[in-house]
Amino acid sequence: MELRSRVPDGPIEEKWDSHRFDMKLVNPANKRKYTVIVVGSGLAGGAGAATLAELGYNVKCFCFQDSPRRAHSIAAQGGINAAKNYQNDGDSVQRLFYDTVKGGDFRSREANVYRLAQISVNIIDQCVAQGVPFAREYGGLLANRSFGGAQVSRTFYARGQTGQQLLLGAYQALERQIGKGMVTMYPRTEMLDVVVIDGVARGIVTRNLITGAIESHAADAVVLGTGGYGNVFYLSTNAKGSNATAIWRAYKRGAAFANPCFTQIHPTCIPKSGDYQSKLTLMSESLRNDGRVWVPLAKGDKRKPDTIPEAERDYYLERMYPSYGNLAPRDIASRAAKRVCDEGRGVGPTGLGVYLDFAAAIARVGEDAIRERYGNLFVMYQRITDENPYRVPMRIYPAVHYTMGGLWVDYNLMSTIPGLHVLGEANFSDHGANRLGASALMQGLADGYFIISNTIADYLAAKKLSAVDTTHAAFKEAESRVSEMTKKLLATKGSRTVDSFHRELGNIMWEYCGMARNEAGLKTALEKIPKLREEFWREVNVPGSADTLNQALEKAGRVADFFELAELMCRDALERKESCGGHFREEYQTADGEALRDDEHYAYVSAWEYAGDKATPVLNKEPLEFEYVHLAQRSYK
Amino acid sequence: MNLTLRVWRQAGPKAPGKMVEYKATEISPEASFLEMMDVVNDELTLKGEEPIAFDHDCREGICGSCSMMIDGHAHGPNQGTATCQLHMRSFEDGATIFVEPWRVRAFPVVKDLCVDRSAFDRIIAAGGFITAATGGAQDANNVLVPKVASDLAMDSAACIGCGACAAACPNGSASLFTAAKITHLAQLPQGQPERYRRVVEMVAQHDAEGFGGCTLHGECQLACPKEISIDTISRMNRDYMVAAAMSQEEKVGGGTG
Amino acid sequence: MTRAVSFWSSTVGKKIVMAVSGLIMVGFVILHMVGNLQIFEGSAKLNSYSAFLHGPANEVLWIVRVVLLLALVAHVVSAYQLTVLDRAARPVPYAKRDLQAATIGSRTMRIGGIILALFIVLHILHFTTLTLQPAALTEGDVYANGIASFQLGWVTAIYVVAMIFLGLHLYHGAWSSVRTLGFERGRLDPFKRPVAIVLALVVWAGFTLVPVAVYFHLVP
């Protein structure tokens, strides 16, 4: 497989400009002749669908939720980065670019990241124009807060609901186009296969989640904005429905899957409390602006936190990383938490937790100021734990949050299947081995509003596509493949529920492919996962029928894909014999326990190519070159 | 904890439905209501019965998917919470709990506890937006928004579109949902050009969907997981009156929707 | 669709019509109550007030009557249509429903409205047209008519009961109509609506006082 990144020539700051000039255009009157399928209605998909429709394309948009407004982007709390330098604190496009490449531990493509930093300023303008109620100063100007991995204040926010507000902006723009008839919306519809004809993506096969009907949709291009695959771990901060099915089935049709092992473990989540638990709840990273992270100095110290004197507390992030302190990047903060808990100094009933303490901030600025900044997060915490975080420190522990890996895309966001474009978390492009806080929203919207709208024209104008409709044999083949799988899942009627398998898979992944990985563990996982998968196909019990709303059936299909993806993740983690960002191989660390990269051998993107159900996938490598950012060991000390 | 559930079961949109009794046993008080439902569903599955369908997704109170009438309260007895944020410690051991779908004509039942809330999407499509095609925006700080206005806009924009307002309203009115979006956009300078056109179009769509009218019982405000105030309804009505007093040309002039 | 039609066809438009017509009637009710209370100043005072209304102020009286009739019709028609819409909006009731915010005032608006409408008819047939004569009534002698009627226990009882509904109707109606007209005044908390509470209590007390006082021979 050839991986052509299509990064334009020229100085990095001019690449996107000159590329836009070089790309072909579609005449406004011709745009309506093209049908574009957009799968997913979150920040990337929703913004993409709305923008493509504004431009005049005929758009069909699909989401499995009952409304496009419910895509999981809605749950992002803290904020969105932009290199506006409104605070006059030394920010610039160059600095956001640098912070993001460094934050990603030098495993992302420079040109993509630079473009992201450039576009970041337009995103804020666009969102404000749409009526996103970002936080303001008294004078009416936009307010900013700080986020991990940066020493400037460049994060724009709307209380603790930034993702929600940005998504509603995109959703409203999308609804406007739906109202005008430019977008046909298919809610409660799940994409189950992508249809490739003559080597290019020409449509998708879906299941109507209410009637169970398997349907085909033909188009001139397909865009996936279907999010990440953190739910492989069962317990994660993702929504219950978040899944990898769209990208996984695209992978099986020939789209390369890049860096699957790069998963982000978020340091500030509410610790797990029991086996019935169905998901983990994130507490925004923004809390680390004012909260101080600590554990007792002594092992097994079970005293109440307020009775532990200052001298017997270890503010370990401040101690280990004095210049970034509590705002160290996510991967580093997560590993530090794991380390102190492994030492036996964890707090709470399970010993898997650390304190996030606001006492100092409340003493400094008062309870009201803290309430103003984080009120809804505190309420959320109290509801879940029944503890008042204004009085006792929060207990937090890392949890799976985001996946940097995803389908491989070129500079135009096109996968290795021509015509199949991938946006947002579903692609691998911008975050390398670790994503900085408040950058996911930035990337989703950059891809959706500003990039795909330009690059899709280049694809459509350059390609002479034959007329294809859903009667084509390839659609029929995909439909029957999907129906077969459904039938098989329903027919098994074994002894275990889908969730029990999913939970067990999650435990394996968390144990062996979680915050820290090693060769022996990954090999164990690679033995256990296929065994469990085999048991799944033998013993799963999917109740009900195919011709109605059947949530167990939906889950079963997604979990079946998670099994295969989990295996690829472990394979990728095993192959990458270095530590970088969220991928921490215990064999490769510095003397003081930091990630030890191997730039000589591993400065590449691993792009895995499907080779058949029984065959081992093929590893393709896209070398990463760093012309503008000097490769160095990350230091946040 | 051990509980008795009385749950609405309905096989499909046209099928008849009825309340069915289930036992939920050995439930942790720390579990959320939906996690309790998961446990019940797992047991049903292994017994060969069909599990109870219910909408849910983020399970942290922001996506607005979950939608259960629990013991006669939209989203359960606690204020300012969605069903997913309701924990079993809010119930007495041994309690009998009624679980029903939203009962509003404009939200037809899809299956069991799942309803079709696309009426809300159509209300938004009718005018719940600011026309700002991608790429044409000026610098964000060129628009000054007083902090008070921005905060008020945010209070209304917090709506998660769950439908609890209409479910709780004795009249089956979605005035709170409609008013929240109108208030969010009308507070902001960017929302002014389409302000009066928006209110007329959105109210018309609200009515066309078959929601009832507001008689200010106030049930919606207490049911709202985001505690949106009925003040927004007064604001909506104010704008509606101004819109009615304006000439048609002025209303239409705002945007092209 | 003309503007008036589109306004009237919306739930918000109908509510505004209800609110405005309701407030007109609230104004009238207050004047009526002040007029009634003159009974405590004796026969001469009350009868001369009545003579003034039917004499020099007769044209004004008729204008007021026409306005009130229009307001009443608008109020009843919009209430009826909204009720039909509201009922249709929830075809299947809940098996269990526990209202949290609705007050006794808001819950009795419809039944109270019907009772008040019937009462208005009775009241006009009783004191205005003198068609119903529970006791012998004389045209022009308002004072005597009042005394004669309210010495009958059952007449007093009808009026007392109707005035309870008037008070409840005003409590919710006054609060919700100003809110419907766009004022964010008064809180959802039923005890934090000072104007509505005072208005409802004063009107209820003012109207109840007369028949009760007559019945207990406390009127001069």
Side-chain angles (χ1 to χ4, degrees):
Chain A
M1 176 182 284
E2 192 197 9
L3 297 172
R4 279 189 54 210
S5 71
R6 289 197 176 80
V7 172
D9 295 330
I12 198 162
E13 59 278 8
E14 289 169 19
K15 281 181 195 287
W16 178 231
D17 254 2
S18 59
H19 189 58
R20 274 186 292 173
F21 179 73
D22 292 338
M23 280 189 294
K24 295 193 171 58
L25 299 173
V26 176
N27 171 318
N30 284 341
K31 288 198 176 95
R32 77 176 80 96
K33 295 178 190 161
Y34 290 105
T35 298
V36 180
I37 283 174
V38 179
V39 187
S41 64
L43 287 184
T51 304
L52 291 170
E54 281 163 10
L55 287 169
Y57 296 105
N58 181 15
V59 176
K60 288 173 151 191
C61 184
F62 299 78
C63 68
F64 73 79
Q65 296 90 346
D66 70 330
S67 161
R69 70 178 292 148
R70 306 203 201 284
H72 189 55
S73 307
I74 205 157
Q77 298 170 353
I80 176 166
N81 287 331
K84 282 287 197 184
N85 194 28
Y86 282 158
Q87 305 304 321
N88 192 30
D89 56 359
D91 200 8
S92 61
V93 168
Q94 178 73 24
R95 187 175 295 281
L96 175 54
F97 159 66
Y98 175 81
D99 284 349
T100 307
V101 172
K102 177 187 169 194
D105 218 355
F106 308 95
R107 288 294 174 264
S108 48
R109 200 187 279 147
E110 271 191 336
N112 285 52
V113 178
Y114 196 90
R115 173 176 65 184
L116 176 66
Q118 284 176 308
I119 290 174
S120 69
V121 299
N122 305 110
I123 295 172
I124 302 302
D125 298 344
Q126 176 62 27
C127 294
V128 167
Q130 286 172 341
V132 171
F134 283 122
R136 300 271 168 175
E137 305 289 356
Y138 277 100
L141 295 171
L142 288 154
N144 288 115
R145 58 166 59 140
S146 306
F147 245 70
Q151 287 179 316
V152 293
S153 234
R154 62 159 78 96
T155 303
F156 295 79
Y157 63 100
R159 295 203 186 135
Q161 292 129 277
T162 317
Q164 180 200 23
Q165 293 310 313
L166 296 174
L167 181 65
L168 292 182
Y171 158 74
Q172 286 162 205
L174 177 61
E175 284 297 336
R176 176 171 158 254
Q177 295 303 322
I178 294 170
K180 289 172 76 175
M182 297 299 291
V183 175
T184 312
M185 188 70 216
Y186 297 85
R188 288 203 203 258
T189 306
E190 181 160 34
M191 175 193 138
L192 293 179
D193 211 346
V194 61
V195 177
V196 181
I197 297 173
D198 299 333
V200 302
R202 293 308 302 269
I204 60 172
V205 170
T206 60
R207 179 168 180 271
N208 178 323
L209 298 184
I210 295 180
T211 64
I214 305 292
E215 288 155 353
S216 285
H217 301 269
D220 298 291
V222 177
V223 178
L224 303 183
T226 52
Y229 49 92
N231 268 347
V232 168
F233 292 86
Y234 186 70
L235 282 183
S236 79
T237 65
N238 287 6
K240 293 299 287 176
S242 299
N243 67 82
T245 290
I247 55 172
W248 190 251
R249 309 250 166 128
Y251 162 77
K252 291 173 93 170
R253 292 286 182 184
F257 205 118
N259 299 335
C261 79
F262 288 172
T263 43
Q264 175 163 81
I265 315 285
H266 196 292
T268 49
C269 299
I270 301 177
K272 182 180 165 181
S273 65
D275 287 334
Y276 53 82
Q277 192 141 354
S278 60
K279 81 156 269 157
L280 295 169
T281 301
L282 174 76
M283 288 282 103
S284 168
E285 174 162 321
S286 61
L287 292 168
R288 290 196 276 145
N289 269 309
D290 285 302
R292 297 179 71 194
V293 177
W294 65 277
V295 289
L297 266 176
K299 271 187 202 179
D301 188 341
K302 292 284 170 207
R303 284 178 290 174
K304 281 198 176 134
D306 53 342
T307 62
I308 301 178
E310 280 294 314
E312 294 173 39
R313 299 176 177 191
D314 179 12
Y315 294 93
Y316 59 88
L317 285 176
E318 296 170 27
R319 172 173 58 79
M320 287 157 46
Y321 308 101
S323 66
Y324 281 71
N326 293 299
L327 286 175
R330 290 178 175 173
D331 54 334
I332 287 177
S334 291
R335 269 199 301 280
K338 178 175 160 48
R339 207 178 309 160
V340 296
C341 291
D342 288 350
E343 286 165 17
R345 298 195 285 143
V347 300
T350 57
L352 292 176
V354 300
Y355 290 125
L356 179 63
D357 196 338
F358 291 86
I362 289 173
R364 192 176 68 243
V365 296
E367 196 171 310
D368 286 342
I370 295 297
R371 183 169 285 115
E372 160 107 343
R373 282 175 209 169
Y374 314 111
N376 64 323
L377 298 170
F378 276 47
V379 169
M380 195 191 258
Y381 181 85
Q382 183 159 12
R383 277 194 193 121
I384 293 173
T385 62
D386 214 15
E387 287 176 1
N388 177 357
Y390 293 101
R391 299 284 159 267
V392 293
M394 286 184 179
R395 281 178 296 112
I396 55 166
Y397 196 67
V400 175
H401 180 54
Y402 186 88
T403 48
M404 282 72 69
L407 292 185
W408 183 91
V409 289
D410 63 15
Y411 191 72
N412 287 342
L413 303 183
M414 191 157 80
S415 70
T416 53
I417 301 175
L420 180 72
H421 297 74
V422 191
L423 318 182
E425 191 179 350
N427 74 26
F428 87 105
S429 76
D430 295 350
H431 305 297
N434 174 54
R435 179 176 66 74
L436 291 183
S439 285
L441 304 185
M442 172 170 71
Q443 188 219 343
L445 289 180
D447 289 1
Y449 282 135
F450 294 102
I451 301 177
I452 190 64
S453 46
N454 286 286
T455 57
I456 206 160
D458 190 48
Y459 169 75
L460 293 171
K463 203 96 185 165
K464 277 263 173 291
L465 292 168
S466 53
V468 159
D469 65 22
T470 54
T471 57
H472 193 282
F475 279 100
K476 297 298 152 208
E477 185 267 333
E479 283 177 23
S480 65
R481 195 201 273 209
V482 165
S483 305
E484 280 309 308
M485 181 165 173
T486 304
K487 263 187 219 142
K488 199 169 157 195
L489 286 169
L490 284 167
T492 306
K493 291 284 181 278
S495 60
R496 289 182 62 180
T497 62
V498 177
D499 270 349
S500 79
F501 280 107
H502 194 180
R503 213 174 268 132
E504 192 174 339
L505 173 68
N507 285 340
I508 295 173
M509 289 302 283
W510 180 247
E511 181 70 25
Y512 301 110
C513 198
M515 259 190 290
R517 299 135 181 208
N518 61 51
E519 186 175 334
L522 289 165
K523 285 185 171 158
T524 310
L526 281 172
E527 280 170 26
K528 288 187 169 208
I529 295 167
K531 274 194 200 137
L532 188 63
R533 186 177 70 193
E534 199 191 310
E535 189 188 338
F536 171 83
W537 283 107
R538 209 176 51 237
E539 284 299 331
V540 73
N541 185 329
V542 182
S545 62
D547 58 354
T548 163
L549 180 72
N550 187 338
Q551 293 171 320
L553 177 63
E554 295 164 27
K555 265 195 290 199
R558 294 166 190 166
V559 171
D561 291 338
F562 283 145
F563 272 112
E564 300 176 13
L565 172 55
E567 215 177 310
L568 188 70
M569 289 168 71
C570 293
R571 198 174 294 284
D572 186 46
L574 186 63
E575 189 279 333
R576 190 170 279 278
K577 295 186 176 60
E578 64 161 352
S579 293
C580 56
H583 171 64
F584 189 77
R585 283 283 297 266
E586 286 166 346
E587 305 94 312
Y588 310 101
Q589 50 182 305
T590 63
D592 49 359
E594 299 295 341
L596 185 62
R597 274 198 339 265
D598 179 353
D599 292 328
E600 195 186 330
H601 300 103
Y602 289 95
Y604 60 73
V605 176
S606 309
W608 295 89
E609 183 183 348
Y610 180 70
D613 272 341
K614 304 272 179 278
T616 311
V618 180
L619 174 61
N620 300 277
K621 297 173 182 175
E622 180 201 342
L624 291 169
E625 281 146 31
F626 293 90
E627 286 180 65
Y628 296 88
V629 177
H630 175 61
L631 277 168
Q633 195 205 326
R634 282 194 308 169
S635 170
Y636 293 95
K637 290 186 192 287
Chain B
M1 300 173 74
N2 295 305
L3 304 150
T4 305
L5 302 179
R6 293 187 55 79
V7 184
W8 181 260
R9 298 304 305 264
Q10 181 174 341
K14 300 245 158 58
K18 60 173 194 287
M19 301 294 285
V20 179
E21 195 166 297
Y22 298 98
K23 296 283 179 205
T25 47
E26 292 175 43
I27 303 292
S28 160
E30 300 302 311
S32 75
F33 196 84
L34 298 185
E35 285 163 352
M36 182 274 294
M37 295 292 287
D38 291 341
V39 171
V40 172
N41 272 346
D42 274 359
E43 284 170 12
L44 287 177
T45 302
L46 294 179
K47 273 197 284 182
E49 290 179 44
E50 207 170 326
I52 303 159
F54 61 92
D55 275 319
H56 66 100
D57 201 21
C58 77
R59 299 206 174 187
E60 53 187 71
I62 194 75
C63 75
S65 297
C66 55
S67 48
M68 292 182 191
M69 202 72 178
I70 299 169
D71 254 357
H73 299 121
H75 290 306
N78 299 346
Q79 275 176 31
T81 47
T83 300
C84 61
Q85 297 168 296
L86 173 65
H87 285 75
M88 296 315 292
R89 63 176 96 91
S90 303
F91 295 90
E92 307 264 323
D93 192 12
T96 298
I97 306 172
F98 281 67
V99 189
E100 297 176 75
W102 292 163
R103 295 268 184 225
V104 187
R105 182 174 63 147
F107 294 158
V109 171
V110 171
K111 185 173 184 176
D112 297 341
L113 303 171
C114 300
V115 296
D116 175 357
R117 285 168 288 188
S118 55
F120 274 9
D121 293 325
R122 291 187 291 274
I123 292 175
I124 298 296
F129 50 76
I130 289 173
T131 298
T134 308
Q138 58 176 333
D139 186 89
N141 256 350
N142 284 353
V143 188
L144 293 182
V145 182
K147 188 172 185 310
V148 185
S150 166
D151 286 349
L152 243 170
M154 184 62 215
D155 288 343
S156 319
C159 168
I160 58 174
C162 63
C165 47
C169 177
N171 304 326
S173 170
S175 289
L176 193 68
F177 168 81
T178 312
K181 187 47 66 191
I182 288 169
T183 303
H184 158 210
L185 299 174
Q187 277 302 312
L188 299 170
Q190 308 92 296
Q192 298 312 309
E194 292 163 292
R195 179 173 183 172
Y196 298 104
R197 180 179 189 282
R198 177 183 306 123
V199 67
V200 171
E201 299 291 334
M202 287 181 73
V203 168
Q205 189 64 37
H206 167 275
D207 295 348
E209 296 291 346
F211 291 108
C214 173
T215 54
L216 284 159
H217 284 292
E219 290 294 332
C220 54
Q221 180 178 322
L222 292 190
C224 177
K226 296 295 150 185
E227 303 182 298
I228 293 171
S229 161
I230 51 169
D231 288 357
T232 56
I233 297 176
S234 297
R235 288 166 182 272
M236 168 174 78
N237 287 8
R238 213 151 69 201
D239 280 5
Y240 195 83
M241 283 186 286
V242 175
M246 289 167 87
S247 73
Q248 293 292 26
E249 292 72 35
E250 257 177 284
K251 265 186 278 172
V252 176
T256 52
Chain C
M1 211 165 34
T2 71
R3 223 185 318 169
V5 173
S6 95
F7 184 80
W8 172 251
S9 65
S10 77
T11 52
V12 175
K14 285 192 216 296
K15 271 309 300 250
I16 289 167
V17 169
M18 263 188 94
V20 171
S21 55
L23 286 178
I24 290 171
M25 291 189 281
V26 169
F28 165 74
V29 156
I30 292 170
L31 288 178
H32 190 345
M33 178 191 74
V34 171
N36 287 6
L37 288 175
Q38 295 179 56
I39 199 169
F40 291 103
E41 296 186 38
S43 150
K45 178 79 182 177
L46 186 65
N47 283 350
S48 71
Y49 172 64
S50 162
F52 167 76
L53 290 181
H54 292 273
N58 201 29
E59 285 83 0
V60 178
L61 181 70
W62 274 104
I63 292 171
V64 169
R65 281 175 170 172
V66 170
V67 169
L68 280 176
L69 184 66
L70 289 176
L72 184 69
V73 169
H75 203 72
V76 169
V77 171
S78 50
Y80 171 75
Q81 294 190 351
L82 281 170
T83 304
V84 170
L85 288 173
D86 295 349
R87 292 267 158 88
R90 175 158 302 128
V92 184
Y94 289 107
K96 182 170 180 184
R97 179 75 180 103
D98 176 16
L99 294 176
Q100 291 172 288
T103 63
I104 179 166
S106 74
R107 287 180 219 199
T108 55
M109 286 308 270
R110 281 172 187 147
I111 182 70
I114 292 167
I115 289 169
L116 287 173
L118 290 176
F119 171 75
I120 289 167
V121 173
L122 275 182
H123 179 57
I124 290 173
L125 292 176
H126 179 195
F127 280 125
T128 310
T129 65
L130 307 184
T131 314
L132 298 176
Q133 301 222 357
L137 305 178
T138 329
E139 186 165 352
D141 194 348
V142 180
Y143 180 85
N145 291 348
I147 300 285
S149 300
F150 292 132
Q151 275 170 353
L152 300 170
W154 62 273
V155 176
T156 302
I158 289 174
Y159 275 73
V160 166
V161 169
M163 288 312 107
I164 291 172
F165 281 101
L166 180 62
L168 290 172
H169 208 78
L170 275 184
Y171 164 70
H172 183 74
W175 176 77
S176 74
S177 53
V178 294
R179 281 199 152 259
T180 297
L181 293 175
F183 297 90
E184 295 157 57
R185 283 286 166 268
R187 297 281 200 64
L188 186 54
D189 182 334
F191 299 105
K192 290 186 176 159
R193 306 174 186 176
V195 177
I197 291 172
V198 169
L199 182 76
L201 284 176
V202 166
V203 170
W204 166 75
F207 276 118
T208 306
L209 202 56
V210 173
V212 171
V214 171
Y215 183 74
F216 288 107
H217 305 288
L218 299 173
V219 171

PDB file of all heavy atoms in Angstrom, chain A residues 434-445:
ATOM      1  N   ASN A 434      -0.323  11.884  21.791  1.00  0.00           N
ATOM      2  CA  ASN A 434      -1.016  12.430  22.952  1.00  0.00           C
ATOM      3  C   ASN A 434      -1.701  13.719  22.521  1.00  0.00           C
ATOM      4  O   ASN A 434      -1.111  14.543  21.845  1.00  0.00           O
ATOM      5  CB  ASN A 434      -0.032  12.732  24.085  1.00  0.00           C
ATOM      6  CG  ASN A 434      -0.700  13.445  25.248  1.00  0.00           C
ATOM      7  OD1 ASN A 434      -1.691  12.966  25.776  1.00  0.00           O
ATOM      8  ND2 ASN A 434      -0.182  14.601  25.608  1.00  0.00           N
ATOM      9  N   ARG A 435      -2.954  13.876  22.932  1.00  0.00           N
ATOM     10  CA  ARG A 435      -3.659  15.094  22.571  1.00  0.00           C
ATOM     11  C   ARG A 435      -3.664  16.053  23.751  1.00  0.00           C
ATOM     12  O   ARG A 435      -3.896  15.652  24.892  1.00  0.00           O
ATOM     13  CB  ARG A 435      -5.099  14.773  22.175  1.00  0.00           C
ATOM     14  CG  ARG A 435      -5.905  15.989  21.816  1.00  0.00           C
ATOM     15  CD  ARG A 435      -7.285  15.636  21.330  1.00  0.00           C
ATOM     16  NE  ARG A 435      -8.132  15.027  22.348  1.00  0.00           N
ATOM     17  CZ  ARG A 435      -8.684  15.684  23.368  1.00  0.00           C
ATOM     18  NH1 ARG A 435      -8.461  16.985  23.521  1.00  0.00           N
ATOM     19  NH2 ARG A 435      -9.434  15.055  24.241  1.00  0.00           N
ATOM     20  N   LEU A 436      -3.410  17.318  23.469  1.00  0.00           N
ATOM     21  CA  LEU A 436      -3.498  18.322  24.520  1.00  0.00           C
ATOM     22  C   LEU A 436      -4.963  18.651  24.775  1.00  0.00           C
ATOM     23  O   LEU A 436      -5.800  18.562  23.883  1.00  0.00           O
ATOM     24  CB  LEU A 436      -2.757  19.596  24.118  1.00  0.00           C
ATOM     25  CG  LEU A 436      -1.230  19.475  24.053  1.00  0.00           C
ATOM     26  CD1 LEU A 436      -0.622  20.830  23.709  1.00  0.00           C
ATOM     27  CD2 LEU A 436      -0.658  18.977  25.378  1.00  0.00           C
ATOM     28  N   GLY A 437      -5.238  19.068  25.997  1.00  0.00           N
ATOM     29  CA  GLY A 437      -6.597  19.448  26.359  1.00  0.00           C
ATOM     30  C   GLY A 437      -7.086  20.572  25.467  1.00  0.00           C
ATOM     31  O   GLY A 437      -6.318  21.416  25.007  1.00  0.00           O
ATOM     32  N   ALA A 438      -8.388  20.566  25.172  1.00  0.00           N
ATOM     33  CA  ALA A 438      -9.046  21.618  24.394  1.00  0.00           C
ATOM     34  C   ALA A 438      -8.606  21.628  22.931  1.00  0.00           C
ATOM     35  O   ALA A 438      -8.817  22.606  22.225  1.00  0.00           O
ATOM     36  CB  ALA A 438      -8.813  23.001  25.013  1.00  0.00           C
ATOM     37  N   SER A 439      -7.998  20.531  22.493  1.00  0.00           N
ATOM     38  CA  SER A 439      -7.592  20.469  21.093  1.00  0.00           C
ATOM     39  C   SER A 439      -8.490  19.569  20.248  1.00  0.00           C
ATOM     40  O   SER A 439      -8.446  19.635  19.029  1.00  0.00           O
ATOM     41  CB  SER A 439      -6.150  19.968  20.978  1.00  0.00           C
ATOM     42  OG  SER A 439      -5.270  20.998  21.361  1.00  0.00           O
ATOM     43  N   ALA A 440      -9.300  18.739  20.905  1.00  0.00           N
ATOM     44  CA  ALA A 440     -10.171  17.847  20.137  1.00  0.00           C
ATOM     45  C   ALA A 440     -11.264  18.652  19.456  1.00  0.00           C
ATOM     46  O   ALA A 440     -11.588  18.437  18.286  1.00  0.00           O
ATOM     47  CB  ALA A 440     -10.798  16.798  21.049  1.00  0.00           C
ATOM     48  N   LEU A 441     -11.826  19.605  20.206  1.00  0.00           N
ATOM     49  CA  LEU A 441     -12.895  20.423  19.645  1.00  0.00           C
ATOM     50  C   LEU A 441     -12.332  21.235  18.480  1.00  0.00           C
ATOM     51  O   LEU A 441     -12.966  21.399  17.439  1.00  0.00           O
ATOM     52  CB  LEU A 441     -13.468  21.354  20.713  1.00  0.00           C
ATOM     53  CG  LEU A 441     -13.980  20.666  21.977  1.00  0.00           C
ATOM     54  CD1 LEU A 441     -14.626  21.673  22.910  1.00  0.00           C
ATOM     55  CD2 LEU A 441     -14.980  19.589  21.623  1.00  0.00           C
ATOM     56  N   MET A 442     -11.116  21.732  18.693  1.00  0.00           N
ATOM     57  CA  MET A 442     -10.453  22.520  17.652  1.00  0.00           C
ATOM     58  C   MET A 442     -10.289  21.686  16.388  1.00  0.00           C
ATOM     59  O   MET A 442     -10.617  22.130  15.282  1.00  0.00           O
ATOM     60  CB  MET A 442      -9.093  22.986  18.190  1.00  0.00           C
ATOM     61  CG  MET A 442      -8.200  23.653  17.188  1.00  0.00           C
ATOM     62  SD  MET A 442      -6.762  24.409  17.965  1.00  0.00           S
ATOM     63  CE  MET A 442      -5.793  22.991  18.455  1.00  0.00           C
ATOM     64  N   GLN A 443      -9.828  20.450  16.545  1.00  0.00           N
ATOM     65  CA  GLN A 443      -9.592  19.637  15.354  1.00  0.00           C
ATOM     66  C   GLN A 443     -10.900  19.247  14.671  1.00  0.00           C
ATOM     67  O   GLN A 443     -11.027  19.323  13.448  1.00  0.00           O
ATOM     68  CB  GLN A 443      -8.821  18.355  15.711  1.00  0.00           C
ATOM     69  CG  GLN A 443      -8.398  17.584  14.474  1.00  0.00           C
ATOM     70  CD  GLN A 443      -8.518  16.084  14.635  1.00  0.00           C
ATOM     71  OE1 GLN A 443      -8.613  15.576  15.749  1.00  0.00           O
ATOM     72  NE2 GLN A 443      -8.521  15.381  13.541  1.00  0.00           N
ATOM     73  N   GLY A 444     -11.892  18.863  15.463  1.00  0.00           N
ATOM     74  CA  GLY A 444     -13.163  18.462  14.865  1.00  0.00           C
ATOM     75  C   GLY A 444     -13.751  19.574  14.018  1.00  0.00           C
ATOM     76  O   GLY A 444     -14.179  19.361  12.876  1.00  0.00           O
ATOM     77  N   LEU A 445     -13.731  20.772  14.566  1.00  0.00           N
ATOM     78  CA  LEU A 445     -14.330  21.887  13.833  1.00  0.00           C
ATOM     79  C   LEU A 445     -13.461  22.346  12.667  1.00  0.00           C
ATOM     80  O   LEU A 445     -13.974  22.753  11.623  1.00  0.00           O
ATOM     81  CB  LEU A 445     -14.604  23.053  14.785  1.00  0.00           C
ATOM     82  CG  LEU A 445     -15.748  22.799  15.766  1.00  0.00           C
ATOM     83  CD1 LEU A 445     -15.956  23.993  16.681  1.00  0.00           C
ATOM     84  CD2 LEU A 445     -17.042  22.468  15.041  1.00  0.00           C
TER      85      LEU A 445
END
